[in-house]
Amino acid sequence: MSVVVKICGLSTCDTLEAAVAAGADMVGFVFFPASPRHVGLDVAADLGKQVAGRAAKVALTVDASDALIRDVVEILRPDLLQLHGHESPERVRALKQMFGLPVMKAIPVATAADLAVLPAYADAADRILFDARPPKDATRPGGLGTPFDWELLRDLDLALPFMVSGGIHADNVAEALRVTRAGGVDVSSGVEHAPGAKDPDMIRSFIRAARASEELMT
């Protein structure tokens, strides 16, 4: 089984090159000022050109306005929009129609009850990303380096492709994939030596570990 590997929150030329050269399928750029991984439009323009078709470009936004997403689309020319906020299924559909791009919707997970929204989003999005639910006092979405209980996704019956994120790193990515049978993994803090500071060696190690796990899933 081929696993889609996404390295998210890239913000420098050297770490982007490390991800692409190591074989990342998707590279993600964060447009959310509260995040230490936020990139401005000028930086995004340069990084987008550097990708040069070697990986799919993903633009991550959080409850963003139409105007911001329009600017991101014009500058980055992403292959996929990632919505990581409280966007409703109706908002997902509207953005797909507005920009003509596929959408991946992040679903925060802590308990089985969190999966109740899945049918509505599965009917609207093109891909689902399961991420850890953030702590109540968090100022930004995502698991902030903490995994959720992957057993909640065991034997998940979902027609859409889905990915897992949240607290995943080189040492546990194989287990995450074994339990969830996800078609992809999305990593950010798991390849950083400090918040927002990607480590090229950690990126390469993660991608190697994810690729090695493909043999265990066949």
Side-chain angles (χ1 to χ4, degrees):
M1 177 180 177
S2 180
V3 173
V4 175
V5 179
K6 176 173 175 279
I7 308 297
C8 195
L10 293 158
S11 59
T12 66
C13 294
D14 60 337
T15 55
L16 173 58
E17 188 60 32
V20 173
D25 300 292
M26 296 180 175
V27 288
F29 305 100
V30 176
F31 300 90
F32 183 54
S35 170
R37 301 162 189 92
H38 170 72
V39 293
L41 293 175
D42 53 345
V43 173
D46 291 337
L47 294 176
K49 293 174 184 176
Q50 183 181 343
V51 177
R54 295 179 291 166
K57 294 177 291 187
V58 181
L60 186 159
T61 60
V62 179
D63 299 315
S65 66
D66 294 351
L68 173 58
I69 298 177
R70 184 174 294 109
D71 288 343
V72 169
V73 169
E74 290 179 357
I75 291 294
L76 181 64
R77 298 193 177 279
D79 300 286
L80 182 72
L81 299 177
Q82 179 176 332
L83 306 181
H84 220 97
H86 297 92
E87 299 90 354
S88 67
E90 292 73 24
R91 177 65 170 161
V92 173
R93 292 191 188 91
L95 290 174
K96 284 178 59 174
Q97 182 174 9
M98 190 179 305
F99 297 105
L101 290 169
V103 171
M104 176 163 66
K105 181 66 181 81
I107 305 293
V109 179
T111 69
D114 292 320
L115 301 180
V117 301
L118 190 53
Y121 282 108
D123 189 52
D126 300 280
R127 184 183 292 267
I128 298 294
L129 173 65
F130 294 104
D131 197 1
R133 180 175 288 282
K136 291 183 179 180
D137 58 349
T139 58
R140 59 184 191 272
L144 308 183
T146 303
F148 63 93
D149 182 3
W150 300 321
E151 289 290 340
L152 294 171
L153 301 185
R154 187 183 288 276
D155 301 322
L156 180 68
D157 183 14
L158 182 63
L160 288 183
F162 69 93
M163 306 176 76
V164 291
S165 186
I168 297 178
H169 47 74
D171 293 334
N172 67 5
V173 63
E175 180 67 6
L177 288 167
R178 184 190 68 80
V179 173
T180 65
R181 307 294 294 182
V185 286
D186 186 350
V187 66
S188 188
S189 62
V191 292
E192 294 178 346
H193 58 256
K198 295 287 186 291
D199 186 299
D201 288 334
M202 293 174 72
I203 290 173
R204 287 186 281 265
S205 294
F206 180 84
I207 294 176
R208 281 197 301 269
R211 295 294 177 221
S213 70
E214 292 176 349
E215 299 179 3
L216 304 177
M217 299 176 66
T218 55

